[in-house]
Amino acid sequence: MKVVKLHEGRSHEWLVFGRDEERPSKIIDTNQYMIKTANHAIILDPGGIELFSAMLAAVVHHVPIQQITHLFASHQDPDIISSLGLWDKTLPHATLYAPWLWEGFLRHFGCNSIKYNPLPDEGKSIRLDDIEIQFIPAHYMHSSGNFSVYDPQAKILMSGDIGAALLPDGAPLFVEDFDHHVEKMRLFHQRWMPSNRAKKDWVRRVRQLDIQYMAPQHGAIFKGKDVNRFLDWLDELEVGTGV
Amino acid sequence: MPSTPKNSAHFFINAATVAAELSVVLTEAKNISLEAMNAKALVARAGDNVRTFKPITDFMVELANDTIWLVKEINREALVLSRTSLSDLHSADAHERFKQAQARSRTAPFGDTLDPVAQSASHQHHQQSMQLKRHMRKLFELLDEIESRMLAANVVTATSRLEAATAADSYQASLEGIVVKLEKAANRIKHIASKCRHSLER
Ligand SMILES: [Fe+2]
Ligand SMILES: [Fe+2]
């Protein structure tokens, strides 16, 4: 599992975990994120059960497990959070922030000790030591209960499946050529995103944020101007093409 | 004894299958019970002519009741076993994944913070395996018991045959009919019990 520091500030840092070489084939590659503050850490979209061991091993290179006090699941998909049952054994005192809509479903993965903190549809903010973390509504993008995560201090938006690209193994972690990258994203967004109205709503919300990095759960991370390029592209794209 | 994940994997299915197979035994036991009632009526009607057959009918009633009770017990135990082997499978999986994480993080600065979690997963797995073994032993004991009842039934059918042969002519056919039915039911139960045992031992 590769680990890259996305942001390092006075009060906190962002780490990306991904491109796991030992990932079983046929399993979609995912990026996991961790925000680490002085005394806490939150893992964003901790990933599927199949990469739990690799993820846990990578995490303890950076924090003692007791410091991980929070988890976040953008939605209910197995590649996002089917590892929940094992995190539940690892971090029995942690709190999971996830859409209220999925509570009864996510508990099927095993959530006996971890506290489930249901996110309301309108989203909310929490504090982790000195920083604020905002959960931004992203419903129907693609899941019907779905959130993005925004850190106003580091100016990072963790966008979950939005901005995802299906890339070959070993692809670079950052978008290098936007026009070329578009082709790797098109099908994913057209087929997995169901609603043009929801898409417009999300783009409108996100345009109001100051974003330096947009970090999706699959594929490559957008930097600087590519973030706006992506928003423009998505705004124009016809989605929900499965019917 | 199954303690590896692979064994548990087929085990929870087999244990559930056992419960289903046993419904046939229950039907047979109810048949014995019915036959015992017929035999009792016959013995009462025939009076002294078939006096020696009376203990046999009592035995049949007892056998039917015991078998029904045992089947219910086995059924309960088989379902518990199925659940336990599934938990065993989960705990083995968790144990394995924590072990892998430990192996991969030997040089990590905070790798040792995993140790208590990995230890507790290993402990939990051990407990689950012990419990699985306990439940399995219990289930085999119950199957043993049902099989030994059926062996006793075989002995009794042999003596009943002799008794039937010495009874008055007018009752001989009915008594022999009862003996044959008891024998058939006992053999079928024995067959199913050993089938269950085999599917659990596989
Ligand atoms: Fe998804
Ligand atoms: Fe995903």
Side-chain angles (χ1 to χ4, degrees):
Chain A
M1 180 89 64
K2 285 208 175 70
V3 187
V4 173
K5 210 168 270 183
L6 195 57
H7 167 86
E8 188 166 19
R10 240 173 4 99
S11 50
H12 69 302
E13 57 186 50
W14 273 74
L15 297 161
V16 196
F17 302 80
R19 307 292 192 266
D20 181 23
E21 292 103 356
E22 285 168 59
R23 166 177 59 93
S25 59
K26 297 203 176 174
I27 285 187
I28 190 167
D29 192 29
T30 50
N31 304 322
Q32 290 69 237
Y33 297 90
M34 182 166 78
I35 308 172
K36 183 185 151 193
T37 60
N39 305 301
H40 297 275
I42 179 168
I43 302 180
L44 311 175
D45 287 350
I49 192 162
E50 287 301 332
L51 57 83
F52 172 78
S53 303
M55 183 60 193
L56 186 58
V59 160
V60 290
H61 276 88
H62 303 275
V63 286
I65 54 166
Q66 303 85 319
Q67 193 171 335
I68 307 162
T69 45
H70 298 73
L71 296 173
F72 163 79
S74 60
H75 60 290
Q76 85 296 358
D77 269 347
D79 64 324
I80 298 280
I81 187 74
S82 63
S83 57
L84 181 59
L86 291 165
W87 287 110
D88 190 75
K89 289 187 200 295
T90 313
L91 314 168
H93 306 298
T95 299
L96 168 70
Y97 288 96
W100 71 268
L101 192 68
W102 295 118
E103 178 168 356
F105 298 70
L106 279 176
R107 285 186 180 278
H108 276 282
F109 287 134
C111 188
N112 301 316
S113 309
I114 284 180
K115 181 174 170 239
Y116 192 112
N117 196 318
L119 292 173
D121 277 345
E122 64 277 16
K124 77 178 205 180
S125 292
I126 60 164
R127 290 202 75 82
L128 223 56
D129 288 324
D130 295 335
I131 69 152
E132 184 195 7
I133 294 172
Q134 300 174 2
F135 300 116
I136 312 276
H139 308 309
Y140 304 101
M141 292 296 283
H142 66 95
S143 169
S144 40
N146 205 130
F147 290 91
S148 305
V149 180
Y150 180 61
D151 169 356
Q153 215 170 312
K155 297 181 179 148
I156 298 173
L157 179 78
M158 201 290 276
S159 54
D161 277 335
I162 309 164
L166 304 172
L167 304 178
D169 282 352
L173 193 60
F174 292 89
V175 174
E176 289 171 354
D177 175 350
F178 184 82
D179 294 329
H180 180 74
H181 192 68
V182 156
E183 292 317 310
K184 310 272 190 262
M185 298 193 290
R186 192 184 303 280
L187 173 78
F188 187 94
H189 290 79
Q190 285 183 323
R191 189 62 182 82
W192 262 274
M193 304 294 166
S195 157
N196 288 302
R197 201 177 116 204
K199 180 200 72 177
K200 292 267 182 205
D201 181 74
W202 185 81
V203 170
R204 181 189 56 77
R205 279 174 199 277
V206 168
R207 280 202 200 276
Q208 294 162 16
L209 309 172
D210 182 5
I211 302 169
Q212 189 159 11
Y213 289 108
M214 191 186 106
Q217 191 231 355
H218 308 281
I221 297 168
F222 300 82
K223 270 188 297 201
K225 290 201 167 65
D226 281 342
V227 175
N228 263 325
R229 274 193 200 119
F230 171 77
L231 295 178
D232 292 343
W233 171 80
L234 183 64
D235 207 13
E236 291 299 309
L237 187 75
E238 176 82 13
V239 299
T241 59
V243 285
Chain B
M1 284 287 164
S3 58
T4 67
K6 189 170 162 271
N7 275 341
S8 294
H10 82 241
F11 210 72
F12 77 87
I13 303 167
N14 286 352
T17 317
V18 163
E21 297 248 17
L22 287 170
S23 64
V24 182
V25 174
L26 204 58
T27 313
E28 290 297 344
K30 281 175 182 161
N31 283 344
I32 294 180
S33 174
L34 204 67
E35 222 36 64
M37 241 111 72
N38 282 338
K40 272 193 149 176
L42 186 71
V43 168
R45 253 196 335 269
D48 271 356
N49 284 317
V50 292
R51 193 169 36 83
T52 50
F53 221 79
K54 170 82 168 57
I56 294 169
T57 58
D58 290 342
F59 170 79
M60 282 169 75
V61 173
E62 206 180 303
L63 182 74
N65 288 342
D66 285 0
T67 308
I68 291 170
W69 180 83
L70 275 170
V71 168
K72 284 185 178 157
E73 275 299 292
I74 293 177
N75 221 323
R76 204 178 49 80
E77 202 54 45
L79 291 176
V80 171
L81 190 62
S82 180
R83 240 196 330 267
T84 312
S85 55
L86 200 57
S87 308
D88 180 55
L89 199 64
H90 284 149
S91 69
D93 181 66
H95 170 57
E96 195 46 47
R97 289 184 197 274
F98 282 116
K99 242 171 53 187
Q100 277 171 25
Q102 266 185 316
R104 280 166 168 231
S105 62
R106 276 197 219 296
T107 56
F110 306 105
D112 58 342
T113 63
L114 281 185
D115 294 348
V117 191
Q119 244 161 43
S120 128
S122 157
H123 177 72
Q124 241 174 49
H125 173 47
H126 179 70
Q127 297 285 96
Q128 284 294 346
S129 312
M130 299 283 282
Q131 212 172 358
L132 181 63
K133 280 177 187 162
R134 232 181 352 255
H135 284 298
M136 241 179 98
R137 212 173 306 131
K138 179 81 199 294
L139 186 57
F140 279 121
E141 273 166 20
L142 288 169
L143 285 171
D144 279 350
E145 212 166 312
I146 224 168
E147 278 175 315
S148 75
R149 294 292 151 103
M150 295 309 127
L151 282 178
N154 279 353
V155 174
V156 169
T157 49
T159 24
S160 326
R161 258 211 183 89
L162 289 175
E163 293 295 337
T166 57
D169 285 354
S170 48
Y171 296 110
Q172 254 188 31
S174 315
L175 290 177
E176 261 166 21
I178 290 167
V179 172
V180 167
K181 280 181 185 154
L182 172 64
E183 192 176 34
K184 268 195 183 153
N187 282 342
R188 221 166 305 160
I189 291 175
K190 216 164 65 187
H191 173 70
I192 291 168
S194 80
K195 213 168 116 189
C196 288
R197 173 190 300 282
H198 281 131
S199 69
L200 289 173
E201 276 168 349
R202 213 168 46 214

